Amino acid sequence: MFTGIEESEDQKTFRAEEAASVIQSNSQVIAEKVVRNIFSANPEVWDKYGQKGFELSVRDTESHIPYLVEAVRSSDFTIFTDYILWARQLFQSLNMPENTMIETVSELKNVSDLYLDDDQKPLVQPVFTAAENANHQPLQIGDSYILQSNPLYVELKSFFEALMDADRRKAGQIIFDAVDRGVSIKDIYIYVFQVSQYEVGRLWQENKISVAKEHFASAATQQIMSQLYPKIFTGERNGGKMVAANIGGDLHEMGIRMVADFFEMEGWDTFFLGANTPLDSMMDSVREFSPDLLALSASLPFHRSRMKDFVAMIKEEFPETHVMIGGRAVKNGKDDLNYFGADSYGSSAREAVVIARDLI
């Protein structure tokens, strides 16, 4: 047990890791206890959902815990608070009881305490305090991403409407016609594909489109992107090589795919490994291709620790390989470079290419 003597940052980090591991290893039983406590305290609200409702609530509660774990592990409270605000908005759109997330955070705090040692609790409780404060803030409903100020507003609007109508052929024709008129493929990526995906995510969170439609929109966009490849993979080569991947466990591949395509359009030879890339596969690719650049992406905050571990292992074996990081999980941008041990940060596909030009 901690004695009260001033501890080093390494000691504090070690204790935070221990506390995070305790919560992570008990996530299922913690989630079950949280839901049982909430259901028992408010039977008039929750009994109508029955056993199926209980099971779904346990599943949802367990999905909150990775964000808590990562916030504790990295001492970055915003990882959990930002997620809680997102979940509140989602639950509100699903017409869940208004205090669902307030009660959930409160019970998560109470139940987690049962599994933590006295010297671990001070590292976890501030995360809950920050989340409780955030829970009492008014929700900020996001505005549409489809704005008339967009340089390709007409194409974006038509493309998005075609996706919402589940008309992949029409969506594709809108893009192909734009390319034939001389519109830059890079601009289509930035102002049409990327913005439309943001809008899809916003509408899904507000329960205005189904999960099926969200999946269709993503799959259709990626298929249309692949149909543009004959125009992308024909440019002059500049001698640079890059490997691009989402770290293992992360299934959101469109962002890093766009990065790889931008590099290809700039004349790099690219090796896109896709989503959920295991460390072994990534290491093998670096050995085989000897890239000038390894671009890693993580979309969800609870993948931050895994990305940090990946970078450390890659740097140990391939110290000369330039590692660039990006993705929504790298939300603090350049301030995160020390934490991850990477060489550079790209906030967008376009910026990543600009940064990488100095490498070759």
Side-chain angles (χ1 to χ4, degrees), residues 139-151:
L139 287 174
Q140 303 294 323
I141 304 300
D143 296 325
S144 173
Y145 289 96
I146 300 179
L147 305 174
Q148 291 190 11
S149 58
N150 187 306

Side-chain angles (χ1 to χ4, degrees), residues 12-256:
K12 186 176 180 180
T13 299
F14 178 76
R15 289 199 300 118
E17 178 63 41
E18 282 190 324
S21 296
V22 168
I23 296 172
Q24 185 174 35
S25 61
N26 291 284
S27 61
Q28 183 174 1
V29 66
I30 288 174
E32 290 177 354
K33 287 184 178 181
V34 165
V35 175
R36 187 167 287 109
N37 290 349
I38 292 174
F39 274 42
S40 298
N42 303 280
E44 70 284 356
V45 174
W46 295 104
D47 279 357
K48 63 183 177 182
Y49 293 100
Q51 181 61 27
K52 183 65 173 178
F54 178 85
E55 293 170 359
L56 290 174
S57 295
V58 170
R59 181 203 64 185
D60 289 344
T61 301
E62 193 169 5
S63 72
H64 306 332
I65 293 177
Y67 295 89
L68 169 63
V69 167
E70 187 60 36
V72 173
R73 179 174 282 137
S74 63
S75 298
D76 185 348
F77 302 168
T78 61
I79 291 173
F80 191 51
T81 56
D82 289 352
Y83 170 76
I84 290 299
L85 291 173
W86 178 88
R88 272 182 62 203
Q89 183 171 325
L90 175 62
F91 283 8
Q92 178 176 287
S93 71
L94 295 172
N95 296 316
M96 297 294 290
E98 186 175 349
N99 290 331
T100 297
M101 286 311 299
I102 293 176
E103 293 175 350
T104 298
V105 170
S106 177
E107 285 301 326
L108 267 175
K109 177 181 177 181
N110 294 337
V111 175
S112 296
D113 264 358
L114 302 175
Y115 296 88
L116 297 170
D117 293 338
D118 288 343
D119 62 333
Q120 295 171 340
K121 292 176 184 178
L123 298 171
V124 177
Q125 296 313 314
V127 180
F128 284 118
T129 299
E132 288 171 338
N133 291 336
N135 253 333
H136 292 287
Q137 297 174 9
L139 287 174
Q140 303 294 323
I141 304 300
D143 296 325
S144 173
Y145 289 96
I146 300 179
L147 305 174
Q148 291 190 11
S149 58
N150 187 306
L152 295 180
Y153 170 73
V154 173
E155 290 82 1
L156 168 61
K157 187 172 183 293
S158 299
F159 178 77
F160 186 77
E161 288 173 352
L163 290 181
M164 293 300 96
D165 291 338
D167 192 338
R168 180 181 54 79
R169 292 184 179 179
K170 181 178 180 181
Q173 197 58 53
I174 290 166
I175 298 303
F176 307 143
D177 288 346
V179 172
D180 289 341
R181 292 196 308 271
V183 177
S184 161
I185 293 178
K186 292 180 182 178
D187 285 345
I188 288 172
Y189 269 51
I190 295 295
Y191 298 118
V192 179
F193 293 157
Q194 182 170 285
V195 176
S196 65
Q197 290 304 302
Y198 288 163
E199 184 68 0
V200 166
R202 183 186 73 86
L203 293 178
W204 174 80
Q205 185 181 5
E206 294 180 8
N207 200 32
K208 293 179 179 177
I209 62 172
S210 66
V211 172
K213 183 159 287 188
E214 182 217 10
H215 286 177
F216 170 83
S218 295
T221 300
Q222 291 196 65
Q223 186 171 8
I224 294 166
M225 286 168 62
S226 69
Q227 291 176 282
L228 294 174
Y229 285 172
K231 297 180 182 294
I232 292 176
F233 288 83
T234 57
E236 184 178 345
R237 302 293 86 189
N238 65 15
K241 291 192 292 184
M242 69 94 74
V243 169
N246 268 21
I247 61 166
D250 197 321
L251 302 176
H252 298 79
E253 73 170 44
M254 189 174 298
I256 191 65

